[in-house]
Structures are given as structure tokens and as C-alpha cells.
Amino acid sequence: MPDLGRLLREKNIIFVTLALALVFYLISPRFLSLDNMSAISRQIVPIGLIALGQFFVVVSGNIDLSLGMGSVLWAIVLGVFFGLTGGVAVGIIAVIVFSLAVGFFNGVMVAKLKLPAFIVTLSMLFVAQGLSGLIIPRGQQIFLMGGFFKFVGAEKFMGLYWSFLFLVALYVLAYVVYNHTRWGAYVIAIGNSEENAKLAGINVDRVKIGIFMFSALCSGFAGIILSSRMGFVQPGLDGNGLLLDGIAAIIIGGVLILGGRGTIGGAFWGLLFIGVINNALNLLNVEDVWHQVFKGTVILAALGANYVLWQSRQVEAH
Amino acid sequence: MRLKTMTAGLALATAFGVGAALAADDTLDIVFINDGHVAPYHVAWLTGFEDAIAAYDKAFADVKVTGRWLSAEGSLEKMIQQTEVTINEKPDVMFVNAINVDAFEPLVAKAQAEGITWIAVHSPMESADYSFTLGDVVNGTNQGMAMCALSKGEPFQVGVMLGQAGNPSGEARREGILKGIATCDNVEVVAEQPADWDTVKAQTIAENWFTQYPDLDAISGVTDGYMYPSIAIATNSGKTDIQFYGYDGDIPIIQQMENGQVMADILLSGTREGWNFVQMAYRIHKGETPDKVYDFFTPLVLTEANHKIALEHGFPEDVQVYYVPEALEVAAKGYLEFGPDSVK
Amino acid sequence: MTSTASLGNGTKKKSLDGLMLRYLVLIGLIVIASVGFSMANDNFYSLVNIGILLRSIAVLFLVSMGMTFIILTGGIDLSIGSNVAFSGAVGVITLTTTGSATLGFITALLAGMFIGSINGFFIGRLKLSAFMVSLATYALARGLALVLFDANSINVDNITFLWLGGVSWGNMPVVIPFVALVFVVLSIVLYKTPFGRDVYAAGANVNTAFVLGRRPERTLVWVYVLSGALAGLSAIITVGRVSSGQPWAGLYLEFDAITAVILGGTSLFGGRGRLLGTILGVLLYGIIINGLVLTGTNPYLQSLIKGLILLGVVLLDTLTQRGKTA
């Protein structure tokens, strides 16, 4: 009964997240206030975008380490174009075009030239870090004023932030693509076995390139939302923290890192879990030094748990 | 790149004749090793330093002034390596903003043996030739007392954003701010949290404070780096009546004073400090001897109207205050106070 | 069985020739880089500066040798830099509470091996992907270091503890002969012991190694423990160098190590490479980085250059290897 295992895994994380929320509520009643809920919904958007991009990469059996630092670079690209032209549209188009180009480059390196994904994306992480400081004249801040940034950063629709609605819409879209299109099936097939996928006549290279382009585009979106929320950009933002949170979200959400397994719903619940934890650690004034310990442990535990669940499913299946 | 420009400059100097060639005889080579290069303050600092080097070199025909700055990117290992390499190059003056002063004691001795003047930046060192400090506790106290006065005796809640745990500058500023706030009874510190000099973290903390303390009146911070994201989130959340008390004298923050969001700031200004370094190095090179521990002049910045209100509510008259237009001018133009003209 | 063995020997010999060529190229590049930087800067060649250079890359030598073992098995370890900070924390805190340098050394080593064994267990036993597991320990070890140090540095003045990383004989830092000693010991382990053969076998093909009766699982665990131990040693050296324990020690060290190892001709897909190449790789990379520091290159430009070096080397390797096999 493979479905049972999958269901159990998803239910686990839902249960754990809700239980945690209840505990935090008992400690600090403000936790469940409407204001705080909406604060969480806004804080998780950049992480959620990066997690979604990473989801497809990981399900296909790879990893993209450049997503976090990439989103910092994209925020700055937006700022630089906005600063130069005063136009938002040019900046957005630049971010979309450049991020797709970087994704294409990563994809070609991995799919066509068979370079290991983590090395390619690790070098891109450093390239992005370098560029983020080099493209701003003398490294100064650029302020982002105007209707668009206010809209993305702060406007609500029926009590929900537009940026959060955008995130949810993207997850719904990803759900449909992942579960109900041939492309989604290809991603899973490649993650299960690249050779079998090739034998089945799937154009593996093209799908892989597409995956990396999508993940880079997601980091582009994350950069746009990050910069709108901040109201200014500058080099030196913590991109690697975003990367870790994104990976933590999908692993907690039950994505098996060996590839081929994972659900969009699970990833979304993993994201909520990370959002609740980040917010609560903050509200409860937990010292910052503990955050990393906590995250490292949670990722390791989730890795182990996924492995055990997967093993037991293998046994059931036989 | 820099080497090329330097060689080009040398070639030019020779081309311009005997006078210029003689000028190259007296050289002043200044190296500034900083702990980082990312924070807005660092950027302004390093920019001011580079501009000042160029200005002094141009203004004084008898001395060839050169300089460069290095960033240790937060790593003590890297900073020690950079310092060792720099000592080996024998510059005239070294400014070192040490991540950990104790680790640099042996290097100070080595540098002095090579005839290099060692200037400890921000954290004083006994063995250094000079220590350039900021008076963080006094500045912080001024910020806290300004808050006391501007809250006019009414109940007032404030959240204080701190630096990285254990960072000496951050700790001194915190001590000062709390000391200043303690001079009145009506201001209550409802939260204190480190934001690690990180702007994204600062924004998350500010947003959480808004939900956790609905009656919050003000955010105080040990750096203006926290002010940008906090002001953005306050504006976006409709919390337009929150007051901000900053520290650093970043120009964009001082500019927000007239509209009433930012109430007070401390005028360090990285640009000013960069210019001051070069001026002091030049003075020392010319034989002047400043105090061994030299406190940089860092006034409190208020609007004229707020200063008047503050004085009415018990703010001490002897605290030196710059008003916004003056502060903006000196912050942007480091040469006004510390340029070649101030030495001539 | 016999045919497989002879086939294996044949390919090994061929790839060794390729490696020799690689080493000659590396030595040539090291000479060119040295000459280039010495022209740009008069002080580069001075004995003092060579001492500074060697001391500053001593730690990189050690962790890169550990990384060579790991990459030979086809794995990766992203946790090394954090592990240096964590083992430093454990060592320094033991030293300051007990006052015993010996206990400090031992606990620092054990702490490094502890993180290494977590990696080894998840990667070797559970067969989880190396980059994912070591990314988790990367966060975990750095977090633990921050907690132990309370995000603050701790000064150390115990002369014994500082000796290895801090003392020089003239212009020669004592740590350099120590690194040479470690190199000799690890070379013996890699080339003269069954464990060394298992490392190459695990990288060449995990399944074949299993069939041949070698236990790649256990080999993998020990390889990560070894890397952790070297991180522990590096922690001791780092503390000696900066006479204090630092929560942010070793930041991005893993990245430098990976670049140096690949530069030294070790294949990212495992099974091919030698420690000598890593030593040359560290030297070349160290000279470049030191040169960038010396000329005061913009730190952002340094990041960019580092990223491009890594990408360029991997790209070149893959293309030339593909050219040979085709």
C-alpha cells in the first residue's frame, strides 16, 4: 500500500505543524492572532518560492545550491535597473530574462555536459555573490519607491497579502503540472531512474534544462518579492539562510532526496512548518544561535525519517 | 587595476618634470584593514577613505599620498593574514579595525619594529600607537535621553534592536541606550533582540514586534542598517506613528527626520570617518601627535523643532546637537570637516 | 575475474599518465603565478611572505587531503568549515575549563570525528546523498559552535595549545613540517593499505566493490570520520594561529578545499586522483588567493573569480576526459 505511506507522511507533518501552533499559542496567545498569521504568511513567501524551485530539482535527483544567493542577486538586478531607468517593468523583465538564462546555463552544464549539479550551482552561488556586489555602483543601497513595490510588499486582497496569494497560485499550478501533465511524470521518471527514462523515450536533457530554468525563475520571483518587502536593496543579504530554509521545507515535507518521490502538498506543509518555527523562535525570544542547531537537526531527522518510511514502504510493496 | 593606476600615476608624475619627481620622495602610504565591506556604514566609510586619499594626494604637492583598504569579510584568520602581508609591505600607517584585539598584539609589535604607525580602530589597544574610538556609550546615552525627552513623560514602549551577541561596539551602544532610557520612568523597554547586523532579520523582528506589542511606540537600534527595513515594514503595515531612533548617521535615515518618522540619530557617518582617517594620518605624518586615545566627534542629530521640545522636557542643554541640514551637509561632504583645507 | 583485474590495471596505468601530465601543468602554472605576482609586488618572493603564504594555507592542505579521500569515493563534504569552528569550540572550552592542553587536543579531534561520523552514518549506512546530509551538518555544526561560544570568541593563552598553529622556526612555521608529516601518513594509508584500495574501489563502482567482497559502507563511514578528524586538527591549528576560539572560523573552507582538490586532478566522479595532485592544487589556489589579497582586489571580485575558477576547472576536466574516452 504505497499510498498509505505517502498519506501518513503528509498527515504527520500536518499534525506536527498544528500541534506546534497550539503549543506556541498556549505559550503566547498572540501567536494565533490575525496579525501574526498574516505576518507569517508574508514571511514565508521568498522561502516558499525557493522551496518550490528546489522541489522539482530534488525530485529529479539533483540539487541547486545557487537559489538563495541567486535571489539576492536578482533583488539587486531589479534595484539596479529600477535605479537606472526608474521603470519597474524593465527591472522585472530583466530579472525574468536573466534568471531564465542562468537556469538554462545550469541546466545545459548538468544535462548536456554531465557536470555534477552541486558543483555547477556551488560555483554559481559564488558568482552570484560576487556579482551582487559588483553591479551596484560602489556597493551602495538603492531605494525602491513606488506603487508596484508597495503592492507586492504590502497590499492585501480579502485580508491576504497578494504576495502570499501569488505563492499559493504558483503551488496550485505546480500541483497540476506535477500530477496531471506528462512533464510532471517525466520529472518523477528521471528522478527514479535516468536510464529507464531515456529508454522510455523521454528527452531527459530537455526536461532537466527546463527544471533548472524553473528553479532559477523561482529564485528570480523570490528576489523581486524580497526587495519589494525591504523597500531597498544592498549586497550582503543572507542568501544561504534562504537556501537552507527552502531545502528544510521540502525535506520536512517528505521529499525523498534520492529523487522520484515527494508531493507538492507535502512541500507546502513543510513550508508552513518552517514559517511557524521561524516566527515562534522569534516571538519567544529564543536566542538566534539556536536557530541553526535546530534547523540542522530537523533536516537530519527528516532525512532519516523519510528514509525509514521509504524502507518500510519497500517492504510493504514486496 | 589599482596597480595599473598607480603606475600610470607615477609615470605621469615623472613626465611632469623635476618638481613632480622630487615630490615622490616623501610618501605617505596608508592601509585600512576593516572587518567587513557589506554594511551600508562600511560602504560609506571605505568610499570616504578612497576619496580622501585622492584629494590629499592632489592637494599636497610635496607628499605622495597613496592608500588602499582591505576587507577581512568577517574572518579573523583572513584579517591576520592580510595584516601579516601588509606589514611585509611596510606602509607608513595602518588602520586596523580588529575583530579580536588580543589576537593582534604580536602583530602590533612586528609592525612597530618595521616603523609602521599602528592605529587601532574602534576597540582601543594599549600597545597601539593610537586608538580611534567612537564614544559609543555616551552616544547611546544621548539617544536614550532624547527618547525620554521626546516621549514627553507619557507612557512609552520601545523595542531595542541589538548587534551580534558579544560584539564590543554593539554592547557599548546597548549599554548607553539603556542608560539613557533609565533616566526617566515613563519609557519601558518591552523587547531587546539581536538582529546580527542583518537587515532581513531586522525586518522580521520589527514585524513580529508589531504583532506582539500592539502598543509599541518606538524602535531603537544600534545601527541605521536596522532602520531601513523597519521603516519599510512599518509604513507597509500602516504603523505610521512608530518612532525610530537610529545610530550611524546614514544620510537616507537623517533625511527621514523632517517627516517625523526618525526622531534621532547619532552622526558618525562612514564618509566622515573615512575622511578623518586620512586627515589624521597626514597630521601624524607631518609630526603632530594626537591623544593616544582619540574620540571621534559624533554629535546627536535632531530637527530644530524636536530639539526645542526635548529641552522643554528636561533634555540636558550641554549635549551637542546638530540640526538636520547641517548634519546632512557634513555627512555627505567629509571634506568640509576633514579635507585638505582643514589642514592647510 | 582475472580479465577484470587486468583490465582494471590497464586503465589505472593510463589514467596515471594523464595525472602526471596534469601535475606538470600545475607546477608550470604555480611558477607562472609566482612570477606574475612577484612582478606585481616586490615582496611576494621574500622568505617572510612565503612563510605567510604557507601558514595561511596549512589548514587548507589538511582539509583538502581529507576531501580527496571523500571525493575519491564519489562523495562530498560541505560541513568541513563548520566542523572546524565546532571542534575548535569543544577544544577551547575543554582547555579553559580543565586547563589541560592534552585534553583540549583530544576533545577537539573527537568533536571533529563526531560530526564526521554523523556524515558517515547517514551517507555510508543509510546511503543518503552526501551533499544533502553534509549540508544539514554544515548548519548543525556551525549552530553548535555558535551556541558553545555564545556567538563570542574565547581567548587562549596556553602556550602548548597555541604551539602548532602559532610558532615559527625563523621564517618556517612549525605547522608546515607537520602538514608534510600528515601527507606522508595519509599517502601510506591511501596507497599501501587495504583501506586505501577500498577507497578507490568504492569510488570506481560501489556495486562492484560490494561484489568483490569489499565493504563500501564501512569504507564510506571511515572516510568521513577521517575528514572530520582532519577538521579537528585544523581547528587546533586555527586556534593557534589566531590565539583564540572563533565561532565563525573556517567559513567557506569547504568550498576552497573542493576547488583545490579538483584543481589537483581528482575526478569528481570518484576513483581517480592522488594526494600529490591535491598538494599542488592547494599551492596554486593558495598563491592565487594570496595574490588577490596582496593586490587588495575587491572582495566581490574575489568571490566571482573563485566561482569561475571552480566552474572552469570542472568544465575543462570533463571536456578533456570526454575527449579521451571518445
Side-chain angles (χ1 to χ4, degrees), chain A residues 307 311, chain C residues 70 73 116-128 195 197-203 205-226:
Chain A
Y307 171 80
Q311 287 270 321
Chain C
I70 288 178
T73 66
S117 63
I118 297 181
N119 286 333
F121 175 76
F122 278 91
I123 297 166
R125 295 278 170 195
L126 302 190
K127 297 195 181 65
L128 294 174
F195 173 71
R197 282 191 287 282
D198 289 350
V199 169
Y200 278 104
N205 190 333
V206 175
N207 292 329
T208 331
F210 210 72
V211 173
L212 292 174
R214 292 182 170 138
R215 311 264 302 271
E217 285 188 22
R218 191 181 287 176
T219 310
L220 285 183
V221 174
W222 280 111
V223 161
Y224 285 93
V225 173
L226 173 71

Side-chain angles (χ1 to χ4, degrees), chain C residues 6 23 28 31 40 55 67 97 99 109 122 147 159 167 190 194 210 230 234 239 249 258 297 309:
Chain C
S6 63
Y23 298 159
V31 171
R55 201 210 311 245
M67 189 68 91
T97 47
L109 271 181
F122 278 91
V147 167
I159 295 166
V167 174
L190 187 57
F210 210 72
L230 287 168
S234 302
V239 170
I258 294 169
T297 307
I309 290 178

